[in-house]
Amino acid sequence: MNDNAYYGRYGGAFIPEILRATIKDLERIFDAARSDDTFWPEFSGLMSSYSCRPTPLTFAGNLTGHFSGARIYIKREDLNHTGAHKINNVMGQGLLTRRMGKNRVIAETGAGQHGVATATMAAKFGLDCTIYMSKTDVLRQRPNVFWMERLGARVIPVTSGSRTLKDAINEAMRDWSAHMDTTHYVLGTACGPHPFPAMVTYFQSIIGEEVRTQILKSENQLPSRIYACVGGGSNAMGIFSAFLADDSVELVGVEAGGKGLETGQHAARLCADGARAGVAQGYKTYFLQDADGQMKKTHSIAAGLDYVGVSPILSHLHDTRRVRFTAATDDDVIAAMELAMQKEGIIPALESAHAFALAFKEAPALSGDEIIVINQSGRGDKDIFTIADAFDDPKWKSFIIDHAAQYHA
Ligand SMILES: *Cc1c(COP(=O)(O)O)cnc(C)c1O
């Protein structure tokens, strides 16, 4: 296997023999695109005409005043088309699909956000689209299934195994192996076999590139800290990658602390005690696993952070201590969301609110000359029932129960 497939001890491409040629082809097309001077302008032009890029970097004056510490800026990935950073990666892979001459894309999705983004891209590029989703998630995420179908995608409920995201990934892999001549597998985060972690990071790096330009323009200095939530790691790699060489910029990755690290009900693969590396789903990284190497059940209030693996690039940045990893609990996240809404009038996604929670905890101890940037990976509209439920306001109880029952029926 080639050396650039590894980040320290992590990464690689542990794939069935049958997919080796397809993965090689993808790697070749990606490398060619990356070294073609016209490709990045084509990608960023598409993102500005289709998805509001560059997204704003908003100065959070009220929050800054509230904490009397660092000056707080928020990178607004929530203002992308489809409501999150996921579209950056998906549109990029759409361009590569076209370069490969393929006419069909497949993807797996858990909460449905990546499925909606992929179906959107497929409609825009005129590609046939199939989305694999566990039966459990199909039932839990009715609105997203509705939109995927309206956008022209076929949604296949996966009933095998434990009916979770992992089983949907297996089904997608099976489909890819059977149709690799026509089909590209659009992976949704900076995980999986090489070249996916590098490729997803490359497309998401548009976030950090913009932040760098924007903060130098408005403040003429680099931030001292950048906060991002970490599910698979794509929004974090996207904003961190432009600052990896700047030692003065501390990079903070916030994992899902769930009900508290001590309860075991969380999705903190890197910062919890006993974090261990392993090989699964085509790559080597830290997985949330027990002493026997069995994958553990994850828990998070944010569906997008509820995943057992993490980007191999982040695993390496963890070991080399370039990124500090920490966690925010479900309760911290709800409190941070409330503050962000009431002080700034913005509604972060539950995932993004993990980054807000840590930034809010640490901002007061920093000086007013320092700048911090929070990556708001997405918008919170999708989380209405979870959030309403968490606030536990009797006035809204019947609304939540009635509507959630319809959605989740
Ligand atoms: C999917 C998602 C995430 C988690 O994915 P990463 O690859 O870790 O970025 C975070 N925020 C939002 C809004 C998402 O939709």
Side-chain angles (χ1 to χ4, degrees), residues 17 25 52 86 97 136 140 174 186 195 224 228 252 298 323 353 360:
E17 196 51 40
D25 195 40
C52 303
K86 287 197 166 72
T97 304
T136 315
R140 276 199 299 223
R174 208 162 296 153
V186 184
S224 40
V252 186
T298 52
V323 178
F360 292 174

Side-chain angles (χ1 to χ4, degrees), residues 79-120:
L79 297 178
N80 275 295
H81 181 39
T82 70
H85 70 293
K86 287 197 166 72
I87 196 81
N88 302 327
N89 164 49
V90 160
M91 296 306 284
Q93 290 198 43
L95 291 174
L96 293 182
T97 304
R98 202 151 73 181
R99 280 189 168 224
M100 288 184 283
K102 295 183 172 179
N103 62 10
R104 178 173 180 261
V105 287
I106 57 172
E108 91 292 335
T109 193
Q113 299 298 113
H114 175 58
V116 170
T118 303
T120 300

Side-chain angles (χ1 to χ4, degrees), residues 77-78 82-86 111 113-114 188-191 200 204 229-238 269 302-306 310 314 348-353 375-380 382-383:
E77 291 303 295
D78 57 309
T82 70
H85 70 293
K86 287 197 166 72
Q113 299 298 113
H114 175 58
T189 188
C191 290
V200 175
Q204 294 292 1
C229 67
V230 182
S234 71
N235 86 90
M237 280 311 302
R269 293 104 344 147
L305 304 187
D306 207 346
V310 66
L314 288 175
L350 283 168
E351 290 83 1
S352 320
N375 198 20
Q376 183 174 349
S377 52
R379 63 173 190 229
K382 68 183 174 63
D383 298 317

Side-chain angles (χ1 to χ4, degrees), residues 263-402:
T263 66
Q265 294 190 62
H266 59 79
R269 293 104 344 147
L270 294 166
C271 73
D273 285 343
R276 291 173 62 233
V279 174
Q281 296 175 6
Y283 67 117
K284 182 173 179 188
T285 197
Y286 281 95
F287 286 98
L288 202 68
Q289 52 192 322
D290 64 21
D292 299 326
Q294 289 293 321
M295 297 296 156
K296 285 209 257 195
K297 261 177 103 88
T298 52
H299 165 81
S300 171
I301 194 168
L305 304 187
D306 207 346
Y307 176 54
V308 286
V310 66
S311 176
I313 312 179
L314 288 175
S315 287
H316 181 56
L317 293 169
H318 167 268
D319 285 9
T320 56
R321 295 170 184 260
R322 179 63 191 93
V323 178
R324 166 163 63 97
F325 288 91
T326 174
T329 64
D330 294 351
D331 289 346
D332 295 341
V333 163
I334 291 296
M337 258 201 99
E338 177 150 66
L339 200 62
M341 289 191 280
Q342 297 190 353
K343 291 285 174 202
E344 298 291 344
I346 58 170
I347 307 179
L350 283 168
E351 290 83 1
S352 320
H354 285 69
F356 282 73
L358 248 290
F360 292 174
K361 197 183 262 180
E362 298 183 353
L366 297 175
S367 85
D369 308 331
E370 293 186 272
I371 296 161
I372 62 179
V373 175
I374 304 168
N375 198 20
Q376 183 174 349
S377 52
R379 63 173 190 229
D381 317 34
K382 68 183 174 63
D383 298 317
I384 181 166
F385 298 114
T386 314
I387 296 164
D389 200 30
F391 281 111
D392 203 22
D393 181 341
K395 188 166 79 235
W396 289 103
K397 267 285 178 254
S398 63
F399 161 78
I400 299 162
I401 292 164
D402 292 353

